[in-house]
């Protein structure tokens, strides 16, 4: 392992058993999707999250696209979501012709502000997408109550939320549908990968069809029908067994991976306490109801700080923090396809001040000290 003394923001962790399981698939000659490793991954996701049905996908993006198809999102429909999120949250619904309606975020968790939802809902609203930023839950009780009152659906973009919880319930298992990501930068990884969690049992049969090119092939494999035919809209959303085999090794080690990330997260939290009390930055806030998964350690710089200069000063010390996201309402496609519900002052203020620190399984104390020193130096402390 060489990083040339650099401290990147991410360093993918592998358990050591990934290739062993891939070799098993290879020797079994079982390479297409929904083989034994996929089945194991589904069972693990179902037992760990409590969802009705879990389905592996190519990515969280693919799972979000499946969610849009499953909810019959159609041209002119509106889907309420934060602007401060990854593009796929919106794109999946825009692909069905829907209009993303962007709401502002809370200044503590950077999650959508549930207090602004009512004002964003119109007769055309079909769904709310709750994005659990940094694996810290949105205020789901309020969100699901508002959705129920308006008879609209809730999709949880829990891309960052694997093994995190809200009032004891797994993120992704609370809305009608939930989505996970196993992208290389997430907690549990498969390079590219994801899952759709189906919580409303009425959506389960159709979810299988949509994922299998619009056919009932899943039922055919179970011996429930004697041939499979074209039943509905769909595409190829399922990954092959090699991806599932890799992912299984990660699932087996999930507790250790999460615990190791928590160790790094908590160390940053302690190391940064003096800078926080001096007002040089703000640390993440985790509300009482949220069991987070240490997906991300970020800091918020004070208003007026030149973030680019801070990032550049860190890089000159070999430390590579990153920033995200460019708010969707302020991006070319977001302006073309979406609209904002009211002003988004918190999003506009905070999006330019977030700095995400290097965090991965096995980051050393020395490395974290170096990150904090570089940050302190960059902030003139
Ligand atoms: C990573 C991420 C995605 C996309 O996940 P992929 O698996 O790369 O498609 C979507 N939404 C959020 C909030 C994410 O962090």
């Amino acid at each position: 392992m060489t990083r040339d003394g650099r401290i990147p923001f991410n360093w993918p962790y592998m358990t050591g058993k990934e290739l062993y399981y891939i070799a098993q698939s290879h020797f079994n000659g079982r390479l297409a999707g929904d083989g034994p490793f996929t089945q194991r991954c589904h069972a693990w996701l179902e037992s760990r999250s409590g969802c009705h049905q879990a389905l592996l996908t190519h990515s969280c993006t693919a799972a979000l696209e499946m969610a849009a198809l499953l909810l019959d999102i159609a041209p002119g429909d509106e889907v309420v979501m934060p602007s401060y999120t990854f593009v796929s949250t919106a794109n999946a619904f825009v692909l069905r012709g829907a209009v993303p309606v962007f709401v502002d975020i809370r200044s503590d968790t950077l999650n959508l502000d549930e207090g602004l939802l009512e004002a964003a809902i119109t007769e055309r609203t079909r769904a709310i997408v709750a994005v659990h930023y940094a694996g810290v839950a949105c205020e789901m009780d309020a969100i699901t109550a508002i959705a129920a009152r308006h008879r609209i659906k809730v999709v949880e973009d829990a891309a960052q939320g694997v093994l995190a919880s809200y009032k004891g319930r797994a993120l992704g298992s609370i809305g009608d549908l939930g989505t996970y990501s196993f992208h290389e930068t997430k907690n549990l990884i498969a390079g590219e990968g994801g899952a759709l969690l189906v919580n409303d049992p009425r959506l389960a049969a159709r979810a299988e069809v949509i994922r299998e090119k619009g056919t009932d092939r899943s039922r055919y494999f179970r011996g429930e029908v004697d041939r499979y035919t074209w039943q509905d809209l769909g595409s190829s959303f399922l990954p092959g067994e090699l991806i599932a085999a890799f992912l299984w090794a990660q699932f087996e080690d999930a507790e250790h991976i999460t615990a190791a990330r928590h160790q790094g997260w908590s160390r940053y939290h302690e190391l940064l306490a003096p800078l926080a009390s001096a007002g040089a930055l703000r640390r993440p806030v985790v509300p009482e109801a949220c069991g987070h998964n240490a997906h991300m350690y970020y800091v918020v710089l004070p208003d007026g700080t030149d973030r680019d200069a801070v990032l550049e000063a860190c890089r000159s010390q070999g430390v590579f923090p990153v920033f995200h996201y460019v708010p969707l309402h302020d991006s070319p496609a977001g302006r073309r396809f979406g609209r904002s519900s009211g002003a988004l002052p918190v999003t506009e203020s905070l999006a330019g001040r977030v700095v995400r620190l290097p965090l991965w399984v096995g980051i050393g104390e020395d490395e974290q000290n170096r990150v904090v020193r570089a940050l302190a130096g960059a902030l003139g402390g």
Side-chain angles (χ1 to χ4, degrees):
M1 173 161 94
T2 58
R3 294 197 296 267
D4 305 328
R6 287 158 166 248
I7 306 182
F9 98 91
N10 184 48
W11 188 256
Y13 173 73
M14 279 161 269
T15 70
K17 284 179 99 175
E18 286 82 356
L19 289 181
Y20 171 71
Y21 290 139
I22 286 174
Q24 276 190 21
S25 301
H26 174 106
F27 286 121
N28 296 341
R30 188 67 177 83
L31 300 179
D34 281 343
F37 282 108
T38 304
Q39 299 309 329
R40 277 190 219 177
C41 288
H42 286 173
W44 187 90
L45 286 166
E46 285 160 9
S47 81
R48 297 313 304 266
S49 74
C51 73
H52 174 73
Q53 176 194 45
L55 295 168
L56 289 192
T57 57
H58 293 299
S59 61
C60 181
T61 301
L64 287 162
E65 289 174 15
M66 282 186 66
L69 279 162
L70 259 174
L71 298 181
D72 286 317
I73 300 296
D77 287 349
E78 295 183 348
V79 180
V80 178
M81 63 183 68
S83 166
Y84 188 68
T85 180
F86 188 66
V87 293
S88 298
T89 313
N91 228 338
F93 296 92
V94 171
L95 278 168
R96 309 307 311 153
V99 178
V101 174
F102 302 116
V103 292
D104 209 359
I105 50 173
R106 295 162 52 126
S107 58
D108 57 354
T109 57
L110 280 59
N111 282 331
L112 69 77
D113 185 341
E114 66 281 0
L116 301 173
L117 282 177
E118 291 278 5
I121 292 171
T122 72
E123 282 176 0
R124 292 173 162 255
T125 308
R126 298 288 321 284
I128 298 167
V129 188
V131 182
H132 304 297
Y133 181 68
V136 175
C138 296
E139 196 37 71
M140 292 308 291
D141 279 350
I143 293 169
T144 52
I146 292 166
R149 204 176 310 134
H150 293 272
R151 298 180 196 284
I152 59 182
K153 303 292 184 185
V154 175
V155 177
E156 294 177 79
D157 180 342
Q160 306 175 11
V162 180
L163 294 186
S165 63
Y166 171 77
K167 300 191 178 172
R169 297 171 71 187
L171 302 193
S173 76
I174 304 166
D176 297 277
L177 296 165
T179 63
Y180 285 162
S181 173
F182 306 117
H183 183 262
E184 176 186 301
T185 52
K186 303 301 203 285
N187 285 21
L188 307 179
I189 63 174
E192 303 279 353
L196 177 70
L197 305 194
V198 180
N199 302 315
D200 179 349
R202 289 168 301 184
L203 298 175
R206 199 163 160 242
E208 283 188 340
V209 169
I210 287 171
R211 179 166 165 273
E212 266 284 18
K213 302 92 182 171
T215 75
D216 52 355
R217 178 145 81 178
S218 303
R219 296 191 63 203
Y220 172 71
F221 278 150
R222 288 196 297 267
E224 295 166 13
V225 288
D226 64 0
R227 79 199 66 179
Y228 66 89
T229 53
W230 188 17
Q231 301 281 332
D232 205 332
L233 281 183
S235 188
S236 179
F237 288 112
L238 73 168
E241 272 287 281
L242 301 185
I243 289 284
F246 189 105
L247 191 56
W248 178 246
Q250 297 267 316
F251 283 4
E252 277 193 328
D253 230 8
E255 308 300 335
H256 161 245
I257 289 170
T258 308
R261 294 187 77 99
H262 267 293
Q263 201 176 33
W265 196 100
S266 303
R267 205 183 279 145
Y268 272 136
H269 211 60
E270 261 171 50
L271 290 171
L272 291 167
L275 282 171
S277 10
L281 51 78
R282 171 169 95 54
R283 296 179 299 166
V285 173
V286 181
E288 190 72 24
C290 304
H292 77 107
N293 60 357
H295 172 59
M296 191 192 303
Y297 200 94
Y298 68 90
V299 298
V300 181
L301 305 179
D303 206 3
T305 314
D306 182 347
R307 180 174 64 182
D308 288 341
V310 170
L311 292 173
E312 192 44 50
C314 289
R315 285 187 208 118
S316 73
Q317 304 297 309
V319 172
F320 292 81
V322 292
F323 71 89
H324 66 190
Y325 303 99
V326 175
L328 299 185
H329 76 282
D330 209 18
S331 63
R335 280 196 293 267
R336 194 158 124 219
F337 298 117
R339 69 173 173 83
S340 299
S341 172
L344 308 182
V346 183
T347 300
E348 284 171 6
S349 165
L350 290 179
R353 293 153 54 196
V354 168
V355 172
R356 181 177 181 183
L357 304 186
L359 179 62
W360 63 83
V361 174
I363 189 169
E365 250 172 90
D366 291 355
E367 289 175 308
Q368 289 194 283
N369 291 338
R370 258 182 70 198
V371 172
V372 171
R373 268 203 310 278
L375 190 61
L379 291 167

